[in-house]
Amino acid sequence: MNKARMFPVVVFGLTIVAPSSASADARSFPATQLSPAQAQADFDLMRNALEEAHAGLYRFSSKSEMDHVFTTQRAKLIRPMSTIDFLAVLMQTTAAIRCGHTGVQLDAETQAAFAAAPSFPMRVMIENHKLFVLT
């Protein structure tokens, strides 16, 4: 099956910035730990930025739906977590907006770690719980 899709990512201007003391090697992602207070402060900053500047924040999800998403996702930030775990929370939050122009942009250190990490040797796509190899 020859299925090829392009998923354009246009970033709304969110950047995860890891503390400068973090270190990464070619085999692992940055081991930076964020305290609950740091993660919550960054999450609140993202929410405020979205609510102030995102013209289509409630276009595909209602305000009550997004308020629930923001509350649910912020409630996950009660323990120290890695930048990768925090990234997952941010991505789940921005995905709920259902706007193709909104996403999360990684800091340079995390981008480098992703680029250096071993990857599956084929391009794949998941659709309806099925895995497709893209050619």
Side-chain angles (χ1 to χ4, degrees):
M1 174 175 271
N2 186 0
K3 280 193 150 188
R5 287 189 174 171
M6 291 178 57
F7 296 99
V9 178
V10 178
V11 179
F12 183 67
L14 303 174
T15 304
I16 297 175
V17 178
S20 60
S21 63
S23 63
D25 65 15
R27 296 178 310 270
S28 66
F29 289 103
T32 303
Q33 290 287 311
L34 299 172
S35 71
Q38 289 172 315
Q40 290 168 358
D42 286 352
F43 185 88
D44 293 342
L45 179 65
M46 178 193 74
R47 179 180 182 169
N48 291 337
L50 288 169
E51 289 177 336
E52 284 183 23
H54 195 295
L57 182 58
Y58 308 120
R59 182 172 294 144
F60 302 109
S61 298
S62 69
K63 178 165 179 12
S64 62
E65 288 173 328
M66 285 309 303
D67 286 343
H68 177 72
V69 168
F70 285 132
T71 301
T72 303
Q73 294 300 100
R74 192 179 192 282
K76 295 177 181 180
L77 308 176
I78 58 171
R79 60 175 176 74
M81 62 177 35
S82 69
T83 55
I84 300 302
D85 291 337
F86 183 59
L87 173 64
V89 172
L90 295 182
M91 288 182 163
Q92 290 167 2
T93 304
T94 57
I97 298 169
R98 295 188 227 155
C99 171
H101 299 101
T102 305
V104 178
Q105 180 180 350
L106 304 176
D107 63 296
E109 181 181 14
T110 306
Q111 284 179 1
F114 271 112
S119 61
F120 192 66
M122 294 179 230
R123 292 184 331 127
V124 296
M125 173 183 75
I126 299 173
E127 186 175 287
N128 295 327
H129 304 287
K130 294 179 183 174
L131 185 68
F132 295 94
V133 174
L134 301 175
T135 57

